[in-house]
């Protein structure tokens, strides 16, 4: 086929793809930010904006991992516990060896739990919800056994460069913010621009069709859980740096926030759909909403009511859109 | 309805008016009994200790009367998922009658029935007609239309192209309206002798350039043979060309140059994904570029996809369109294209022309022949005996899960084939 014919064939779809409904998450975020900035001038202050980025950074990393699993047609409730485990393992190992050793051990712990989740779900065919509910509780127990319920910071605190990573700026931007920024660009390429990434979408879209097309669906699904575990591990290490210690109670309810963010990003929970950047936008929506309610001095009990309502509203809009 | 224009806002209003749709996918509650499924939504009840409880005796009686009227001779107390498809269909029709249906819409009701069951269904339809029930019968099988219909509406590309009284339509006329042109009957080409052995296993042997049909009545296990050969039903070893290959799953099957299309199209398609992604599903690594094929190249992907959409006449020519927007015939061609993209040597097709229109059916049958003529091999299972005879070089007759005969198709008649299958 000639180049021209191909170009002609592709022109209309390209136009069609830029639809308003597909960009709903970003529209929501901009509307939210616009309204908030009208109600209070503190919202657009440099300090507040920088603060928003830092607050979003750790959750963004977790939400990216969750996106892998949800696109592959799965679900992971264990990410909060895994983040706590990774943070504590990183702190413990760091105090005995080097910073690099600690970071590697923390992320490896996350990868291991992800691998375990994936193997139980694919090889033993246990429902993902039940499996990860189990690991969520189990891993939290392991964290308490490992730490004796105490925060891990050593006698003289965690090594200085590690603590500085959790607080200082690089090129004018908080160091913690660089982590999701770099991960987002690299992982977006993996998910969208490699045959491996297309297989994740296909497997989540119709597992049977992918299987009958020769795709090793069990390997693909397991790998998605490993990604999720690794990213939860990275988030746990970031959290330890920010808290200057490994906290056994850290990361509680992170799984719910992450799932909400992915849904706000328009992924739906049936698999085969989702984009990493949209999930990150979902995180921003959650964070900006919380920030706005804070700045407007809304009672913290009412904040929860509002955030819950927004999650349901977003899912409902997504549901109507699909019809 | 009844000479009055009615507007139904939801299925419930249509049901109340006496209009019942019976889709191909029967909607039954698998874990409930036959009688409960028949009376679902209005189970007879009585009061016990101030509570409404199901009146089991009335349930049995009422369901029994309706089922008997349809010639159902089974136990109404067994779970409905223990019944074969044809019996379940009767359960669904009985449920429609329990709602005093006055118009029944049957969508491809014979798609999964064998000859004897089709006969019984036709008897049921005749008796419903006598009782004053109107029937809208949707079918691709024109001989059924000719036998049953008093009036016939022909649709093409979503539009009504003809509405004819019984006296005014015949087979060629219907085909003409459905396709917009006259389709010549698929001719039996002179068959060439088979070449080198291509695939051997599970009692099937296929040579290069050969098309082998597997014929059997429903439930005879034809689909099972194809799935096993592909490695999708447990580990198996096959002779592929001059090598023995152990297949532990479809992944190994594809690596060995085999492609499989299931009878259930939905099983093979990622409905929400684009035509491009679906065509490339088995060949994603071929669209990779760079070291180790790591990068997915849109240009490389489109080169493959566009060429195949042209070659197979998949419409509309838009690789970005979601697969769910394509017609059944185009979806089936897409599944065919998927294996051409993967460059497999052997196609294993289960009911390749099931439920698609006459024109697409002829195209698929031609594609099967062409694939074999270019040095591939095809094994296909079909319950359409005229297709078996016109498209296959040889036919494997299956009875109760076993291949009982291998017959050359030249000189074979449908009657002879049917006799072999029924034993």
């Amino acid at each position: 086929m000639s180049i021209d014919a191909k170009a002609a064939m592709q022109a209309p779809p390209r136009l069609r793809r830029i639809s308003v409904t597909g960009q709903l998450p970003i529209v929501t975020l901009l509307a939210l930010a616009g309204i908030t900035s009208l109600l209070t001038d503190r919202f657009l202050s440099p300090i507040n904006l920088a603060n928003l980025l830092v607050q979003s950074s750790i959750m963004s990393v977790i939400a990216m991992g969750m996106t892998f699993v949800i696109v592959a047609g799965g679900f992971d409730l264990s990410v909060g516990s895994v983040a706590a485990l990774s943070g504590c393992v990183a702190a413990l190992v760091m105090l005995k060896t080097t910073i690099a050793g600690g970071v590697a051990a923390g992320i490896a712990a996350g990868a291991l739990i992800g691998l375990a989740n994936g193997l139980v779900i694919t090889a033993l065919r246990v429902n993902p919800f039940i499996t990860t509910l189990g690991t969520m509780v189990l891993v939290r127990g392991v964290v308490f056994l490992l730490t004796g319920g105490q925060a891990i910071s050593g006698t003289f605190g965690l090594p200085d460069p590690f603590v500085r990573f959790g607080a200082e700026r690089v090129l004018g931007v908080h160091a913690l913010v660089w982590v999701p920024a770099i991960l987002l660009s690299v992982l977006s390429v993996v998910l969208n621009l490699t045959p491996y990434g297309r297989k994740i979408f296909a497997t989540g879209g119709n597992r049977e069709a992918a299987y009958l097309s020769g795709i090793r669906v069990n390997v693909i699904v397991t790998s998605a859980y490993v990604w999720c575990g690794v990213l939860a591990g990275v988030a746990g290490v970031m959290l330890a740096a920010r808290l200057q210690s490994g906290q056994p109670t850290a990361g509680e309810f992170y799984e719910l926030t992450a799932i909400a963010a992915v849904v706000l990003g328009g992924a739906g929970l049936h698999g085969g759909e989702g984009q990493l950047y949209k999930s990150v936008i979902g995180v921003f929506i959650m964070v900006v909403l919380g920030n706005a309610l804070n700045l407007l001095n809304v009672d913290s009990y009412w904040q929860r009511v509002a955030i819950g309502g927004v999650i349901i509203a977003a899912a409902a809009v997504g549901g109507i859109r699909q019809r | 309805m009844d000479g009055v224009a009615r507007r139904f806002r939801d299925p419930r209003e249509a049901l109340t008016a006496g209009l019942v749709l019976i889709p191909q996918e029967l909607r039954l509650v698998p874990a409930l009994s036959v009688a409960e499924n028949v009376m679902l939504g209005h189970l007879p009840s009585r009061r016990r200790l101030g509570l409404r409880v199901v009146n089991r005796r009335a349930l049995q009686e009422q369901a029994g009367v309706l089922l008997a009227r349809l010639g159902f001779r089974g136990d109404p107390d067994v779970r409905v998922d223990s019944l074969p498809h044809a019996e379940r269909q009767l359960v669904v029709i009985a449920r429609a009658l329990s709602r005093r249906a006055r118009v029944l819409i049957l969508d491809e009701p014979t798609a999964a029935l064998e000859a004897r069951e089709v006969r019984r269904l036709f008897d049921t339809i005749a008796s419903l007609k006598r009782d004053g029930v109107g029937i809208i019968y949707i079918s691709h099988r024109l001989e059924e239309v000719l036998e049953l219909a008093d009036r016939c509406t022909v649709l093409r590309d979503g539009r009504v192209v003809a509405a004819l009284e019984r006296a005014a339509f015949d087979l060629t006329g219907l085909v003409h309206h459905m396709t917009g042109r006259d389709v010549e009957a698929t001719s039996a080409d002179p068959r060439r002798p088979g070449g080198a052995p291509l695939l051997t296993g599970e009692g099937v042997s296929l040579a290069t350039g050969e098309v082998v049909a597997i014929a059997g009545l429903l439930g005879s296990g034809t689909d099972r043979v194809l799935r096993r050969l592909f490695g999708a039903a447990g580990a198996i070893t096959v002779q592929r060309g001059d090598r023995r290959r152990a297949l532990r799953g479809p992944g190994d099957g594809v690596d060995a140059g085999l492609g499989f299309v299931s009878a259930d199209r939905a099983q093979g398609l990622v409905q929400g994904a684009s035509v491009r992604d679906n065509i490339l599903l088995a060949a994603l690594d071929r669209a990779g570029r760079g070291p180790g094929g790591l990068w997915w190249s849109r240009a490389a992907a489109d080169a493959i996809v566009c060429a195949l959409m042209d070659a197979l006449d998949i419409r509309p020519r838009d690789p970005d369109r979601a697969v769910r927007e394509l017609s059944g015939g185009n979806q089936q061609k897409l599944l065919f294209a998927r294996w051409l993209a993967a460059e497999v040597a052997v196609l294993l097709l289960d009911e390749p022309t099931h439920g698609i229109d006459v024109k697409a059916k002829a195209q698929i049958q031609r594609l099967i022949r062409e694939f074999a003529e270019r040095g591939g091999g095809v094994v296909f299972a079909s319950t359409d005996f005229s297709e078996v005879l016109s498209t296959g070089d040889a036919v494997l007759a299956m009875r109760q899960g076993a291949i009982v005969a291998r017959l050359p198709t030249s000189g074979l008649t449908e009657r002879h084939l049917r006799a072999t299958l029924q034993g």
Side-chain angles (χ1 to χ4, degrees), chain B residues 121-186:
Chain B
L121 177 70
F122 285 6
D123 291 343
T124 306
I125 288 174
S127 92
L128 289 172
K129 240 173 85 172
R130 276 195 302 277
D131 293 347
V133 178
I135 312 263
I136 300 174
Y137 188 95
I138 303 167
S139 182
H140 282 105
R141 298 189 178 175
L142 299 185
E143 61 275 25
E144 293 177 359
V145 176
L146 293 172
E147 176 167 352
L148 289 173
D150 299 314
R151 197 164 349 107
C152 172
T153 302
V154 182
L155 281 101
R156 184 170 74 233
D157 299 330
R159 263 199 292 276
V160 174
V161 291
L164 309 162
E165 292 295 331
R166 179 63 192 98
F169 62 82
D170 59 8
L171 190 60
T172 43
L174 287 181
V175 171
H176 177 80
H177 283 300
M178 284 172 73
T179 58
R181 60 188 170 85
D182 293 312
V183 177
E184 69 282 19
T186 355

Side-chain angles (χ1 to χ4, degrees), chain A:
Chain A
M1 186 193 291
S2 73
I3 304 290
D4 285 348
K6 235 189 278 174
M9 212 159 111
Q10 283 167 17
R14 268 183 204 288
L15 286 176
R16 194 178 55 213
R17 206 180 300 154
I18 306 170
S19 62
V20 180
T21 49
Q23 300 307 321
L24 200 65
I26 188 82
V27 173
T28 311
L29 178 62
L30 291 176
L32 191 60
I35 293 167
T36 313
S37 62
L38 289 180
L39 293 174
T40 163
D41 15 313
R42 279 184 299 166
F43 179 72
L44 287 180
S45 71
I47 297 172
N48 191 51
L49 290 179
N51 193 23
L52 285 177
L53 281 176
V54 176
Q55 276 183 31
S56 313
S57 61
I58 292 171
M59 188 50 72
S60 294
V61 174
I62 291 184
M64 280 188 255
M66 190 67 78
T67 309
F68 269 87
V69 170
I70 286 178
V71 168
F75 201 75
D76 193 347
L77 286 173
S78 69
V79 287
S81 299
V82 170
L85 175 73
S86 295
C88 292
V89 167
L92 283 169
V93 174
M94 197 175 291
L95 289 169
K96 295 226 168 62
T97 62
T98 59
I99 295 179
V103 170
I107 295 173
L112 205 65
I113 304 295
L115 182 65
N117 278 335
L119 290 178
V120 170
I121 288 162
T122 56
L124 303 182
R125 292 166 192 263
V126 182
N127 173 288
F129 186 89
I130 300 300
T131 306
T132 59
L133 183 66
T135 36
M136 174 177 100
V137 178
L138 187 151
V139 170
R140 185 67 70 180
V142 170
V143 176
F144 281 112
L145 285 173
L146 212 58
T147 60
Q150 303 295 314
I152 307 294
S153 56
T155 325
F156 307 104
L158 294 182
D160 189 46
F162 183 67
V163 172
R164 283 215 311 272
F165 161 73
E168 280 188 358
R169 287 165 184 260
V170 177
L171 301 177
V173 179
H174 209 288
L176 285 177
V177 177
W178 283 106
V179 180
I182 293 166
L183 284 175
L184 176 62
S185 38
V186 173
L187 295 181
S188 292
V189 171
V190 171
L191 196 55
N192 293 304
L193 297 179
T194 64
Y196 163 71
R198 308 312 299 171
K199 286 178 189 172
I200 297 182
F201 277 103
T203 303
N206 184 347
R207 197 183 161 111
E208 183 72 14
Y211 175 71
L212 289 179
S213 298
I215 292 173
R216 267 108 180 152
V217 288
N218 284 353
V219 176
I220 297 291
V221 170
T222 305
S223 77
Y225 281 96
V226 172
W227 278 115
C228 192
V230 165
L231 291 171
V234 171
V237 173
M238 291 164 70
L239 197 56
R242 191 156 179 232
L243 300 173
Q244 306 185 6
S245 60
Q247 294 282 355
T249 54
E252 272 182 307
F253 299 115
Y254 275 28
E255 58 285 334
L256 301 182
T257 312
I259 291 165
V262 175
V263 171
L264 282 170
L269 293 180
H270 39 70
E273 270 184 276
Q275 280 300 331
L276 294 168
Y277 79 92
K278 287 189 183 174
S279 298
V280 172
I281 291 172
V283 173
F284 277 117
I285 293 175
M286 302 279 286
V287 170
V288 168
L289 185 64
N291 180 250
L293 296 172
N294 266 335
L295 292 177
L296 297 172
N297 293 321
V298 174
D299 179 274
S300 72
Y301 298 161
W302 278 110
Q303 286 193 18
R304 292 187 178 216
V305 174
I307 291 173
V310 166
I311 293 170
I312 294 170
V317 170
I320 292 165
R321 207 173 71 206
Q322 286 206 332
R323 234 174 276 153

Side-chain angles (χ1 to χ4, degrees), chain B residues 1-2 4-23 92-93 95-106 132-138:
Chain B
M1 238 177 139
D2 302 317
V4 184
R6 293 285 306 270
R7 188 183 179 85
F8 300 126
R9 270 169 304 183
D10 55 30
R12 198 185 169 81
E13 288 190 2
L15 280 174
T16 314
L19 189 67
V20 180
L21 168 72
I22 299 183
V92 177
I93 297 176
R95 182 200 289 166
L97 296 181
S98 82
R99 293 177 173 279
R100 300 198 176 74
R102 292 185 303 126
V103 177
L104 273 185
I105 305 173
L106 300 170
V133 178
I135 312 263
I136 300 174
Y137 188 95
I138 303 167

Side-chain angles (χ1 to χ4, degrees), chain B residues 23-328:
Chain B
Q24 281 186 57
E25 303 285 330
L26 302 173
R27 308 238 162 84
L28 291 165
V29 185
L32 292 184
S33 74
V34 168
E36 285 168 316
N37 267 288
V38 169
M39 303 301 293
L40 203 67
H42 50 184
L43 296 175
S45 64
R46 57 179 172 187
R47 289 206 166 270
R48 277 282 176 275
L49 305 169
L51 284 172
R52 281 161 62 84
V53 296
V54 172
N55 183 343
R56 300 211 71 87
R57 188 178 301 163
L59 172 69
Q60 301 252 340
E61 278 173 19
Q62 293 175 18
V65 169
L66 293 165
L67 289 164
R69 196 173 143 197
L70 300 175
F72 178 92
R73 271 178 282 281
D75 180 359
D77 269 342
V78 300
R79 278 170 60 128
V80 79
D81 57 2
S82 68
L83 297 181
H85 183 88
E87 308 281 311
R88 292 188 208 185
Q89 195 173 43
L90 291 183
V91 173
V92 177
I93 297 176
R95 182 200 289 166
L97 296 181
S98 82
R99 293 177 173 279
R100 300 198 176 74
R102 292 185 303 126
V103 177
L104 273 185
I105 305 173
L106 300 170
D107 186 9
E108 298 275 359
T110 58
L113 300 188
E114 54 177 276
R116 192 166 33 87
E117 296 164 338
V118 170
R119 253 310 113 213
R120 185 173 66 175
L121 177 70
F122 285 6
D123 291 343
T124 306
I125 288 174
S127 92
L128 289 172
K129 240 173 85 172
R130 276 195 302 277
D131 293 347
V133 178
I135 312 263
I136 300 174
Y137 188 95
I138 303 167
S139 182
H140 282 105
R141 298 189 178 175
L142 299 185
E143 61 275 25
E144 293 177 359
V145 176
L146 293 172
E147 176 167 352
L148 289 173
D150 299 314
R151 197 164 349 107
C152 172
T153 302
V154 182
L155 281 101
R156 184 170 74 233
D157 299 330
R159 263 199 292 276
V160 174
V161 291
L164 309 162
E165 292 295 331
R166 179 63 192 98
F169 62 82
D170 59 8
L171 190 60
T172 43
L174 287 181
V175 171
H176 177 80
H177 283 300
M178 284 172 73
T179 58
R181 60 188 170 85
D182 293 312
V183 177
E184 69 282 19
T186 355
S187 57
D189 343 335
R191 308 280 191 242
R192 291 171 303 145
L198 201 55
L199 177 69
T200 313
E202 285 294 292
V204 177
S205 63
L206 179 73
T208 307
E210 199 178 26
V211 178
V212 172
I214 306 181
L217 303 172
L218 197 91
S220 58
T222 53
D223 55 331
R224 184 93 186 145
V225 173
L226 294 176
R227 278 179 183 270
R228 285 190 60 81
L229 277 174
F230 187 49
I236 182 186
T237 309
V238 297
Q239 184 76 28
R240 168 76 186 85
D242 47 11
R243 287 179 59 193
R244 288 190 74 73
R245 304 284 297 238
L247 311 179
R248 286 175 310 272
D252 293 333
V254 176
D255 287 347
L258 310 178
F260 169 73
V261 177
S262 141
D264 177 9
R265 268 196 299 283
Q267 211 173 52
L269 296 166
V270 187
Q271 295 285 355
S274 67
V275 170
R276 175 193 300 108
D277 283 5
N278 270 285
I279 288 182
L280 285 173
L281 200 60
L284 283 164
D285 294 318
R286 274 193 64 208
R289 288 290 179 268
L294 194 61
W295 304 116
W296 154 267
S297 156
R298 174 75 175 262
D302 277 346
I304 300 170
V305 168
C306 294
L308 284 169
M309 288 182 82
D310 278 345
L312 274 66
D313 189 28
I314 296 172
R315 296 181 194 197
R317 289 278 201 291
D318 173 5
D320 283 292
R321 191 166 292 246
V323 156
R324 69 165 78 86
E325 296 171 30
L326 264 57
S327 71

